[in-house]
Amino acid sequence: MAEAVRKPRVVRGWPRSSPRPFGARLLWVLPPVALLALFFLYPLALVVQQSFRPDSGGTSLQPYADVFASEAFRHALWTTVWLALASTGGCLVLGFLLALVIAFVPLPGAKGVARFIDVYLSFPSFLITLALLFIYGTTGIIGSFQFLTTPWGVLLAEVTYFTPFVMRPLLAAFSQLDTAQLEAASSLGARAPRIVRQVILPEALPALAAGGSLVLVLCLNEFGIVLFTGAKGVTTLPMLVYSKAILESDYPGACVVAVVNVLISVGLYGLYRVVSRRAGA
Amino acid sequence: MGIRFDSVTVAYDGNVVLDSLDLTVEPGEVMALLGPSGSGKTTALRAVAGFVRPASGRVFLAEKDVTDLPPHRRGIGMVVQQYALFPHLRVDENVAFGLKARKAPKGEIRGRVAEALEMTGMAAYARRFPRELSGGQQQRVAIARALAIRPEVLLLDEPLSALDARLRSGMLTELARLHRELPGVSMLYVTHDQVEALTLADRIAVMDKARLQACGTPRELYRSPADEFTASFVGGANLVPVTVGAGGVSFAGTELKVATEGVAVGARATLCVRPHVVGLGQGPNQLVGVVREIQWRGATHRLYVEVDGHTVMADLRELKDPPAHGDLVSLHFAPDDAVLLAAGAGHG
Amino acid sequence: MLVHSRRAKWAVWAVFLVLFLPLFALPLLVVLGASFATHWSGVLPSGLTTGHYRAATRGEALQALTTSLVTAVTASLLALATGTWAALAGAALKKRHRRLLDALFVLPVAVPSVVVGLSVLVAFSKPPMLLNGTRWIVILAHTVLVTAFAHQSVSAAITRLDPAYEQAAASLGARPAYVLWRVRLPLLLPSLTAAAGLCFALSMGELSATMMLYPPDWTPLPVLIYAATDRGALFAGSAIAVVLMAATLLVLFAVSRVRTRASYR
């Protein structure tokens, strides 16, 4: 049986109905990519370039040295990072608990709550600070203690605003969870905390990780909430970019802070994409 | 217009899913591609439609090489299992889609849509949306849509699989009628159901493991299958290992009289006997065994009888007094009802 | 499912409401209440008035509302067009290239909006593209910010789209452009409107980049709200905030009506 061994050339099936040649397909991508490059990537590159151009002229690392040396920057960096981490932690705990109740302890109105979350997500973040100003502000309902002008006020506002961002992927993950699993577990005598720990939590981990890292990035970049507290004591990196550029007209300095902020956020966002892809989102 | 596969090979990421298929569908012929899932039958159909590109080999439509032609320039009608009716268009708009895409004149579109809907019995539903129709109705619309462009080749990819058993046999009758009304249309009918293939096809191409195993008329494949796979996949069969003697074979120490042309004396071979030709009681070519299982199927009884470690199935007209589990029974079959398959036929 | 006894169920729900209501519903109610008041030092607002709304629906505030609406509508349409184009073109690419394109288009989500504002300011404050001081710089920044969301939701919808439809269309003789126009886009319509609504809402509430860029004659609502609260006019600011929320919700509602009519299955 001297049958010739065929080694077929590997040719991909056309993914869609349009068997256009590869070059033509690439050509169609060009216009939007060109727009993105012109209006987003090029400006971003200019920011990086500007960060190496001190006002005194020439190209040097001087702006970086100046910014890193300043107490204000180091303080802002620290505030930004711990606020973001703490907010994310708060959102994860609160979001998990609330989503758990909505998904697994059904009572009338749960659907309305889910719809409310969607609406809530379409409002800007500074509305929360605005409301907190009435509740905790200097002339507020609860009274005039300087709560809002401390980082704790920002923390509360961020937890309030970003918790739904954790709840949404969680609710989606919970709706995929087979309720038969829960019924099987409880028929085997497991009590609620045990079911949560051993059945629900493992299923929710990918969604928690994805939601958590998204919130972390959003918190690192949050501006409106901090701006509205009007607190001089709470300065985050985005706030520093704004005040250096607009209030002090120190563009090289603003660009340096911007570059640092972008590096942290994009790095974390890359992590988020990897995690959420793992989670099969 | 016919279809011709000229050693068509298709591979995905190095896996060969269709291995050098050579097959010709004559103009006006219904060819069924029959095989289990993963046998490459759907890939073959999609190669004709233009949705997969052969790694090597050519596809011809009416003796014209269409291998490098995009799907929309091949002029074939296609009906798939999940209907793929456009949900945002009404029934008549769905049927008119292909004609509009070809910029046919308005008057002609109206006439052809009416004709196609009439032919499939869906004229009363012209203004409905697909979601307002049952599965069977949706499949009729899908067929009408494919017929409206008056294709000379109609590709049907498991068109009845999504329907329940009762609708399926009704649609089978309809398809047979359509074929009679459209004698010029070649049909390539992909299915894993041997009943559909036997009912509808002029010829059947049996596929397994990315290869064409056998091709012939339903009668040929049923009466004299060329290999074990075809025998068991088309119609079901008892396949027992035998040793060929002069003028017969021996199985489990019993000499059986069957035709042995073309097989050397002393060779090992497989004897193929259809369950419905096996009779109960004394007769020529007798086998004795123990009843292991007995199933009542309404009009018939099926017996599973263990003969020397091999299970032999027999389909018998409903028995007044069926044997019981564990009984010793005799089975027999006529010499010309059995086919002898040379060992390894069709597999190398 | 998780909690079986009736009492435990009620307890869980009580805890839920205690957490949920103050955190999420209260802020919105407070803003709503404050918008009708002149004082709020007790439990309930006092000095009820509709005066803030009179101010919030004319003059400067009305101007800001139109500014916001025009900005949001323009930015979402531009973003939708760019994002959809990129998503459609990307769907035809090989997986490796498509991932690269996705990453590129999702980048504006990760970059802080303030930095997007700064970069646009740096890039378009000098010739040949001198946009600083015009409304276009605001619209441009908003478009950049929301394109990522449009691209993400449309490309997710494209991957969910059953290729059987386009293949059926192609087998019926429809050219790729005809398939796109008559089959793919109509089938994507529900997702397109959803993406448009999302972009609109985001743009309506955008503050960070806008603060860096807005010219005096193009002040969107969030900036006006900030200006009001910054000078201590919290109650007037609340009224404008309610107008902002109402306008957003109204448009979202209209969009969702279009969507229900566009979803066939």
Side-chain angles (χ1 to χ4, degrees), chain A:
Chain A
M1 300 285 264
E3 195 181 359
V5 178
R6 259 179 306 273
K7 276 227 171 120
R9 198 160 45 93
V10 177
V11 177
R12 259 169 54 88
W14 291 304
R16 296 277 162 180
S17 58
S18 49
R20 263 173 283 148
F22 179 67
R25 277 185 267 148
L26 214 54
L27 212 63
W28 279 103
V29 183
L30 275 185
V33 169
L35 286 176
L36 191 77
L38 177 62
F39 293 118
F40 176 66
L41 299 176
Y42 163 70
L44 218 53
L46 282 186
V47 166
V48 176
Q49 191 194 37
Q50 182 90 293
S51 72
F52 291 104
R53 293 262 168 87
D55 287 333
S56 49
T59 302
S60 72
L61 285 172
Q62 194 56 41
Y64 281 86
D66 288 347
V67 168
F68 287 160
S70 82
E71 181 61 32
F73 169 76
R74 277 181 299 188
H75 189 70
L77 181 61
W78 167 238
T79 312
T80 311
V81 170
W82 86 254
L83 259 181
L85 288 174
S87 306
T88 306
C91 290
L92 285 178
V93 172
L94 195 60
F96 182 68
L97 289 179
L98 294 179
L100 208 57
V101 175
I102 294 178
F104 297 117
V105 192
L107 220 75
K111 206 160 221 167
V113 170
R115 172 117 358 121
F116 175 77
I117 289 170
D118 281 352
V119 169
Y120 192 85
L121 286 174
S122 65
F123 290 141
S125 57
F126 59 79
L127 285 180
I128 306 302
T129 325
L130 183 61
L132 294 183
L133 282 176
F134 288 105
I135 304 175
Y136 302 104
T138 37
T139 58
I141 304 166
I142 291 185
S144 66
F145 61 107
Q146 298 291 317
F147 171 69
L148 253 198
T149 54
T150 66
W152 300 105
V154 177
L155 180 64
L156 175 67
E158 289 194 345
V159 169
T160 305
Y161 184 68
F162 289 115
T163 296
F165 286 83
V166 176
M167 288 168 71
R168 259 236 291 232
L170 270 180
L171 287 175
F174 286 164
S175 70
Q176 306 267 308
L177 191 77
D178 191 0
T179 52
Q181 267 187 52
L182 301 188
E183 281 156 13
S186 64
S187 76
L188 292 171
R191 291 168 147 273
R194 197 185 173 81
I195 297 178
V196 169
R197 212 174 50 239
Q198 296 196 330
V199 181
I200 297 178
L201 196 58
E203 289 286 325
L205 270 184
L208 270 179
S213 30
L214 176 67
V215 167
L216 188 61
V217 173
L218 291 177
C219 286
L220 283 172
N221 299 347
E222 181 52 43
F223 175 75
I225 287 177
V226 187
L227 182 72
F228 262 69
T229 55
K232 296 283 176 284
V234 189
T235 308
T236 57
L237 289 180
M239 201 59 199
L240 201 61
V241 173
Y242 169 71
S243 58
K244 271 199 188 302
I246 303 300
L247 307 179
E248 299 167 25
S249 289
D250 171 14
Y251 280 97
C255 289
V256 170
V257 182
V259 168
V260 173
N261 200 346
V262 167
L263 286 181
I264 297 178
S265 313
V266 170
L268 278 172
Y269 196 77
L271 199 68
Y272 159 68
R273 296 269 292 177
V274 172
V275 167
S276 56
R277 188 164 298 152
R278 287 268 169 77

Side-chain angles (χ1 to χ4, degrees), chain C residues 15-217:
Chain C
V15 173
F16 176 78
L17 289 181
V18 163
L19 280 175
F20 191 81
L21 285 181
L23 266 177
F24 303 115
L26 192 63
L28 301 180
L29 289 177
V30 164
V31 172
L32 188 65
S35 67
F36 287 103
T38 50
H39 289 287
W40 199 334
S41 39
V43 175
L44 287 176
S46 53
L48 296 184
T49 172
T50 53
H52 302 310
Y53 282 100
R54 244 173 288 137
T57 48
R58 66 189 59 196
E60 193 190 20
L62 186 64
Q63 182 84 42
L65 177 62
T66 19
T67 300
S68 268
L69 286 174
V70 170
T71 307
V73 168
T74 318
S76 350
L77 291 182
L78 289 175
L80 196 64
T82 320
T84 306
W85 187 323
L88 285 170
L93 292 184
K94 289 182 184 165
K95 198 167 184 184
R96 202 153 38 91
H97 295 126
R98 192 168 63 233
R99 279 208 173 158
L100 189 69
L101 187 76
D102 284 351
L104 211 57
F105 266 83
V106 96
L107 211 54
V109 178
V111 173
S113 337
V114 175
V115 176
V116 171
L118 177 70
S119 67
V120 168
L121 190 63
V122 168
F124 299 106
S125 292
K126 58 188 180 201
M129 279 179 294
L130 184 62
L131 296 177
N132 194 8
T134 71
R135 64 185 64 176
W136 290 107
I137 198 163
V138 178
I139 294 174
L140 170 64
H142 281 219
T143 309
V144 168
L145 285 171
V146 299
T147 298
F149 292 94
H151 174 263
Q152 255 187 326
S153 43
V154 176
S155 51
I158 289 176
T159 43
R160 282 197 306 267
L161 197 64
D162 189 344
Y165 293 120
E166 19 190 310
Q167 293 183 350
S171 80
L172 291 167
R175 304 161 55 79
Y178 194 86
V179 177
L180 176 67
W181 194 242
R182 297 286 169 175
V183 177
R184 298 180 74 189
L185 282 179
L187 289 177
L188 287 174
L189 197 59
S191 316
L192 291 180
T193 54
L198 176 68
C199 292
F200 177 84
L202 287 171
S203 171
M204 281 296 277
E206 216 297 316
L207 179 69
S208 336
T210 318
M211 283 297 284
M212 314 274 295
L213 300 169
Y214 75 96
D217 63 342

Side-chain angles (χ1 to χ4, degrees), chain B residues 40-111:
Chain B
K41 55 192 196 303
T42 294
T43 305
L45 175 134
R46 293 171 67 77
V48 179
F51 296 125
V52 292
R53 174 173 210 148
S56 63
R58 316 298 295 173
V59 178
F60 295 87
L61 286 173
E63 289 310 310
K64 185 171 161 258
D65 186 345
V66 296
T67 317
D68 297 319
L69 225 52
H72 69 270
R73 288 174 51 198
R74 297 195 180 195
I76 33 117
M78 185 160 127
V79 176
V80 295
Q81 180 184 343
Q82 60 293 40
Y83 325 130
L85 292 179
F86 306 124
H88 59 294
L89 298 179
R90 291 174 192 277
V91 165
D92 54 352
E93 293 165 333
N94 259 289
V95 177
F97 185 92
L99 300 166
K100 281 190 183 154
R102 287 146 197 258
K103 302 197 175 71
K106 272 223 169 79
E108 191 187 335
I109 292 179
R110 208 172 309 126

Side-chain angles (χ1 to χ4, degrees), chain B residues 1-5 25-29 45 48-49 59-63 66 74-79 102 146-147 149-156 182 184-189, chain C residues 171-172:
Chain B
M1 179 156 99
I3 309 166
R4 186 155 65 85
F5 295 88
V25 183
E26 301 298 337
E29 186 183 35
L45 175 134
V48 179
V59 178
F60 295 87
L61 286 173
E63 289 310 310
V66 296
R74 297 195 180 195
I76 33 117
M78 185 160 127
V79 176
R102 287 146 197 258
L147 290 179
I149 60 170
R150 295 212 179 135
E152 286 174 78
V153 168
L154 189 60
L155 305 177
L156 300 136
L182 303 164
V185 178
S186 315
M187 295 191 196
L188 193 60
Y189 189 103
Chain C
S171 80
L172 291 167

Side-chain angles (χ1 to χ4, degrees), chain B residues 317-336:
Chain B
R317 182 121 41 95
E318 192 183 10
L319 299 167
K320 283 242 166 55
D321 184 22
H325 192 265
D327 282 1
L328 206 63
V329 295
S330 294
L331 301 174
H332 68 269
F333 59 90
D336 47 343

